[in-house]
Amino acid sequence: MPPRHALFGWIVVAAVAATVAGADEPELPEVARFGGVVRADLNGDGHEDLVVSNAEGYGVWLFVPPAAAADHLEWKTGWTRVLREGKPGDAAALPRLDRDGVRYIDEALEVGDARIGRDELLRVPGPPPKSPAEALRSLRVPAGLEVTLAAAEPAVIDPVAIDFDERGRMWVAEMGDYPFAEGEATDDGSVTWRDGVPGEGAGRGLMHSRIRILEDADEDGVYESSALFLDGLRHVTGLACWDGGVFVSGVPEIFFARDDDGDGRCDRRETWFTGFTAGNPQHLVNGFCLGLDGWFHGANGDSGGSVECVRSGERIDLARYDFRFDPRSGAFRREVGMTQVGKWRDDYGNWFGTNNAVPGWHYWLPLAHLERHPDVVVGQPRADLTPDRRVRLDAPPQRRLNQASQAGMVTSACHPMPYRDVVLGGAGAAAIFIAEPAHNLVVRRVLDYSGRTIAALRHADDAEREFLTSSDHWFRPIMARTGPDGALYVVDMARLVLEHPEWVPAEMARRMQLRGGETLGRIWRIAPPGHPGTRATVSLGSANGWARDTAQRLALERGGLDDAEAVRRLLDDESPAVRVQAAFTLDCLGLLPAGDLVNRLGREWPLVRGAALVAAGGHELAEAEAELVEVRTGAPLKPVPSPVLAPADPDRQAVVARYAEVAGRPGDAARGRAVFSRAGCAACHRLGDAGVELGPDLATVGRKPAAQILEAIFDPDRAVEQRYAATVVVTDEGVPLQGIVVTETPGSLTLRLAGGADRVVKRGEIESISTSPRSLMPAGLEQVLSPEDCADLLAALQEP
């Protein structure tokens, strides 16, 4: 790079002449071709950064050196960390720099009489928030539907989840303490709750979670009254109505809160379960969905915990499981998981979950079946709903604060919720809606029940654009839920910054408005034009899922039905959704003969599957699913040989540095596939149809910067994702086994070993179990990989 001016500490490349990157430096941003470029070390890391402003555009780019490019934030080497950019006249535009008298001196940019300080240049400006009316104009839905505003600030602020009680009131979980509650910080302490540009609500005591009740008394689809039920909470992630109150998930506990005197405020609060692990609020326990079995089901959140059941005193290690609990007895059970945000069911008892990068899973194998069959070995008790990870946008995506390669891909999937009414017509038939706040949209897929597991297909109307999109970067949909009137209600947190500071470079996070939007919040309503807000009648015979769930819930609370014979007649209803829920309700109340529920459900394939059959007390899965278990419990995978390595050079970063130049080399993908096999990569990874799925999917890894891939190869212990951490099991015979846990059941644990063989160890045969901080991937691969091999391997990984 050009040397810094030794006397004054400033460098200017101004005038109108185009500026071209030299052969020995990374490529300049496109707009820099038109001149007006200032080079200066803005962030004090010893590398020159760029400030550009000319007739074509403006921007501020920080230089990312190779070492920083290799971290988990996935920045590429060069001027790739963008703090701002745009066109002249934008709100964040800089003065034109393609003129005389421009210089950077004493930590400020001087442009004529104007002086722009270093802190301002390092600030990450965002677009201003839109009013509810402006935000509404930015939303787009398919023809035949319209979006209206159901509620907005100040009636609702920072909403992340909703539920509706028997009166049709909307209970709202508000996470006002995102991204930090008071006293919190990132794990490394680089960013704390005191950092960042103050939000518009600074000093107003908003840094905590709340529960609010909204009411639409005249049933016009607009919630005109708001009551604060409970505040002062910590990272509330979900809630569910029960017996005049709500169950609430807020770390470290799940508690029940009730209004005893009808004034809309909490009078009683009882902790039912505690010990859920605290941390990043994107990875916390959340819920809840009332199952057909009468239990509330919840999501692990990827954090687990040692859960104490307060009523019984029992303690349960949540580990990698989701869970369910009985609101009548307080019993708590683990369930197959682990889901990050939102575990929901359809009308037939099939369960769906997700994590940030997966649009949805179908949990086809319930834990109760594995408990009854502890010797069963399965690869995964869940199946991907769809391999399609791309999203169709309505506007250019907002520049990501990390992992730029993931723009246009699902990265923040939340709450996969089946639509449960007929009001949306063909737009809602068999639809599942998945919120994707990072891309300011809601995804719709159509559930396909024809296979052995349920799949999700793109709706014909969504070929060019997703179901709900917005050009407003403050639109942050977290949940899309069927309401009492059959409309779809979209929960919009309305935040400027969605990403948690843990995944943003610290120097950027400290200059961002991390709490921008802390006084905002919207609930949007989607329905055919003119559709009334009249609530469905609470009945097990209703076409509306809320109405049936509420009827079942009220019957469970009372312990009986007002008219059991009327419900029995619903067992022959023309709607399979009505037949199934009526049968489960009768069975929960002890009003069906033993075995009758299972027999009835067996007639409803392919809608009703093993999850519902087992929940009904059945001992077997549906026939097609039993075949699936047989496929997945066959012979162990054939081990793949891996190379024998000598003790590795302990200075792994020195090895990484030796191979750094490979990132810029061309390679041959065909030779790279041969290297993949010869070097033993296939022992732990899949590439196309070759290899074993033990470590990360290399189809995904290939989108990462080359420098990051090289560091993962030659310094594998530097950053180990928890899900790929090695687990060490010592058997009662003293035999050590090391691998990745692929399945846990009450009776056994399945380890996938290097080479791909699955080893099932019964719980009674385990002497000890521990998680290693080291990766299964061996250090020392420089012994079998030359720089040429690496260039070829990178070409194979990055091949379309």
Side-chain angles (χ1 to χ4, degrees):
M1 293 183 189
R4 176 180 291 275
H5 193 288
L7 180 59
F8 297 107
W10 55 270
I11 288 179
V12 179
V13 181
V16 294
T19 303
V20 181
D24 60 343
E25 70 177 11
E27 183 178 356
L28 291 168
E30 176 68 17
V31 72
R33 295 176 50 246
F34 301 97
V37 180
V38 172
R39 298 172 181 254
D41 182 5
L42 298 178
N43 59 353
D45 66 350
H47 297 276
E48 287 175 353
D49 307 307
L50 297 182
V51 183
V52 181
S53 184
N54 53 50
E56 298 298 319
Y58 69 90
V60 178
W61 289 265
L62 299 185
F63 186 82
V64 179
D71 68 18
H72 65 282
L73 301 175
E74 292 192 17
W75 295 99
K76 293 183 179 179
T77 298
W79 290 288
T80 59
R81 188 169 293 170
V82 186
L83 302 188
R84 72 174 75 190
E85 65 177 337
K87 295 294 184 181
D90 289 353
L94 299 169
R96 292 272 295 271
L97 304 181
D98 50 351
R99 60 190 64 180
D100 294 334
V102 176
R103 64 178 185 170
Y104 184 82
I105 188 169
D106 296 332
E107 296 191 343
L109 180 65
E110 294 183 355
V111 186
D113 294 333
R115 183 178 174 85
I116 305 172
R118 169 178 172 272
D119 285 346
E120 172 59 23
L121 292 172
L122 287 170
R123 185 174 68 88
V124 183
K130 297 181 182 293
S131 69
E134 292 170 329
L136 177 60
R137 288 193 290 271
S138 74
L139 296 170
R140 296 183 65 179
V141 290
L145 299 174
E146 71 172 355
V147 186
T148 56
L149 184 66
E153 68 279 354
V156 61
I157 302 173
D158 286 325
V160 295
I162 59 174
D163 196 11
F164 299 91
D165 66 14
E166 61 271 21
R167 293 164 52 184
R169 297 184 301 174
M170 182 190 296
W171 293 66
V172 185
E174 299 181 341
M175 192 187 288
D177 49 354
Y178 186 84
F180 293 129
E182 291 189 18
E184 288 186 332
T186 53
D187 287 344
D188 61 5
S190 60
V191 185
T192 78
W193 66 283
R194 295 184 183 277
D195 288 331
V197 179
E200 68 279 0
R204 291 172 53 182
L206 298 176
M207 201 177 288
H208 50 255
S209 288
R210 301 167 291 270
I211 304 296
R212 196 178 297 273
I213 306 173
L214 307 182
E215 187 165 8
D216 174 17
D218 57 5
E219 297 186 299
D220 64 350
V222 177
Y223 287 74
E224 65 278 347
S225 69
S226 171
L228 183 60
F229 175 73
L230 185 61
D231 61 6
L233 304 176
R234 189 179 186 93
H235 293 320
V236 166
T237 56
L239 78 177
C241 297
W242 177 264
D243 194 23
V246 282
F247 282 103
V248 177
S249 54
V251 290
E253 62 185 8
I254 294 172
F255 63 86
F256 178 72
R258 195 177 193 278
D259 171 19
D260 290 328
D261 58 15
D263 66 353
R265 294 283 295 180
C266 177
D267 297 308
R268 175 160 45 103
R269 175 176 168 176
E270 304 169 350
T271 297
W272 280 44
F273 311 102
T274 188
F276 296 95
T277 302
N280 184 327
Q282 297 179 4
H283 297 274
L284 300 178
V285 59
N286 60 93
F288 306 99
C289 177
L290 182 65
L292 293 171
D293 56 3
W295 291 50
F296 282 114
H297 293 237
N300 181 302
D302 293 348
S303 293
S306 178
V307 180
E308 178 188 354
C309 305
V310 174
R311 291 193 162 195
S312 67
E314 184 181 13
R315 186 169 290 276
I316 298 172
D317 180 14
L318 189 56
R320 297 173 177 86
Y321 293 97
D322 290 334
F323 63 92
R324 59 191 173 101
F325 67 90
D326 188 338
R328 294 161 293 179
S329 69
F332 185 97
R333 298 287 184 271
R334 300 191 301 187
E335 193 47 88
V336 292
M338 76 188 155
T339 300
Q340 183 174 344
V341 181
K343 192 165 189 181
W344 301 95
R345 66 166 175 86
D346 62 10
D347 289 329
Y348 317 108
N350 300 299
W351 289 95
F352 307 97
T354 187
N355 74 13
N356 55 6
V358 179
W361 288 305
H362 168 213
Y363 291 104
W364 63 274
L365 184 60
L367 188 61
H369 182 78
L370 295 170
E371 290 173 333
R372 293 168 187 160
H373 304 279
D375 294 330
V376 166
V377 182
V378 289
Q380 284 286 355
R382 68 189 184 202
D384 265 12
L385 282 176
T386 173
D388 184 4
R389 302 290 196 265
R390 296 197 174 274
V391 292
R392 272 66 161 172
L393 306 175
D394 192 32
Q398 188 175 18
R399 186 172 291 278
R400 292 181 59 83
L401 299 172
N402 56 45
Q403 297 179 317
S405 63
Q406 298 303 299
M409 305 289 291
V410 170
T411 60
S412 59
C414 301
H415 295 293
M417 301 188 75
Y419 176 68
R420 302 180 59 215
D421 206 316
V422 296
V423 166
L424 298 188
I432 185 168
F433 292 98
I434 305 156
E436 170 60 23
H439 287 93
N440 320 110
L441 54 84
V442 174
V443 170
R444 169 180 57 178
R445 296 291 183 265
V446 179
L447 294 173
D448 177 6
Y449 293 85
S450 64
R452 291 188 296 184
T453 63
I454 299 172
L457 311 176
R458 182 173 290 274
H459 194 283
D461 292 345
D462 301 342
E464 302 298 326
R465 187 177 68 247
E466 300 299 345
F467 172 78
L468 173 62
T469 61
S470 176
S471 57
D472 177 13
H473 290 310
W474 291 65
F475 175 58
R476 302 298 190 182
I478 309 298
M479 172 185 284
R481 184 166 194 169
T482 311
D485 57 352
L488 189 70
Y489 286 84
V490 178
V491 178
D492 175 10
M493 196 177 183
R495 284 294 191 106
L496 173 61
V497 179
L498 177 75
E499 194 56 87
H500 192 273
E502 179 180 350
W503 304 104
V504 179
E507 72 271 15
M508 291 178 68
R510 286 192 287 268
R511 293 176 173 86
M512 294 169 62
Q513 194 175 337
L514 296 176
R515 294 184 54 78
E518 66 179 338
T519 62
L520 308 180
R522 287 86 191 254
I523 308 291
W524 306 101
R525 179 179 182 266
I526 301 175
H531 179 69
T534 308
R535 296 189 296 274
T537 301
V538 173
S539 166
L540 285 165
S542 176
N544 179 275
W546 164 82
R548 293 196 307 276
D549 289 352
T550 302
Q552 181 179 14
R553 174 173 63 80
L554 294 176
L556 295 174
E557 292 171 5
R558 293 192 303 263
L561 293 163
D562 293 333
D563 190 344
E565 288 306 313
V567 175
R568 285 193 177 93
R569 289 194 291 272
L570 295 177
L571 297 176
D572 297 318
D573 192 89
E574 64 180 10
S575 165
V578 169
R579 294 195 299 268
V580 168
Q581 193 145 12
F584 261 103
T585 302
L586 289 166
D587 189 75
C588 287
L589 297 171
L591 300 177
L592 278 186
D596 190 47
L597 177 60
V598 174
N599 291 335
R600 290 180 177 277
L601 295 178
R603 307 167 195 161
E604 304 287 356
W605 173 270
L607 298 175
V608 171
R609 293 163 176 260
L613 292 172
V614 173
H619 292 280
E620 301 300 331
L621 303 173
E623 182 177 349
E625 292 173 313
E627 294 172 358
L628 190 61
V629 172
E630 290 173 9
V631 169
R632 298 189 178 200
T633 60
L637 297 171
K638 182 179 179 180
V640 178
S642 56
V644 177
L645 303 175
D649 183 343
D651 189 350
R652 302 313 303 162
Q653 282 301 299
V655 175
V656 172
R658 293 205 303 269
Y659 282 78
E661 54 87 18
V662 171
R665 280 194 188 188
D668 182 278
R671 289 200 305 263
R673 288 190 290 273
V675 171
F676 173 81
S677 299
R678 173 174 53 79
C681 307
C684 296
H685 300 280
R686 287 190 67 83
L687 182 62
D689 296 328
V692 171
E693 187 177 349
L694 177 60
D697 180 352
L698 295 188
T700 301
V701 170
R703 294 194 296 266
K704 296 183 177 182
Q708 183 178 350
I709 299 174
L710 290 169
E711 181 162 60
I713 292 172
F714 295 112
D715 191 5
D717 294 332
R718 181 175 183 269
V720 183
E721 271 193 73
Q722 183 62 33
R723 56 182 163 170
Y724 299 124
T727 294
V728 180
V729 171
V730 179
T731 71
D732 55 5
E733 296 179 346
V735 177
L737 302 171
Q738 179 172 276
I740 301 295
V741 176
V742 292
T743 303
E744 281 190 86
T745 72
S748 65
L749 180 148
T750 303
L751 280 178
R752 182 157 294 168
L753 311 178
D758 282 357
R759 173 68 181 269
V760 181
V761 186
K762 294 184 177 180
R763 295 283 184 182
E765 298 173 350
I766 296 176
E767 181 68 28
S768 66
I769 182 171
S770 61
T771 300
S772 169
R774 304 180 70 86
S775 171
L776 274 180
M777 188 162 173
L781 287 173
E782 67 275 12
Q783 300 171 38
V784 295
L785 291 175
S786 68
E788 292 76 14
D789 290 336
C790 287
D792 293 339
L793 182 59
L794 288 175
L797 298 184
Q798 296 168 345
E799 191 176 33

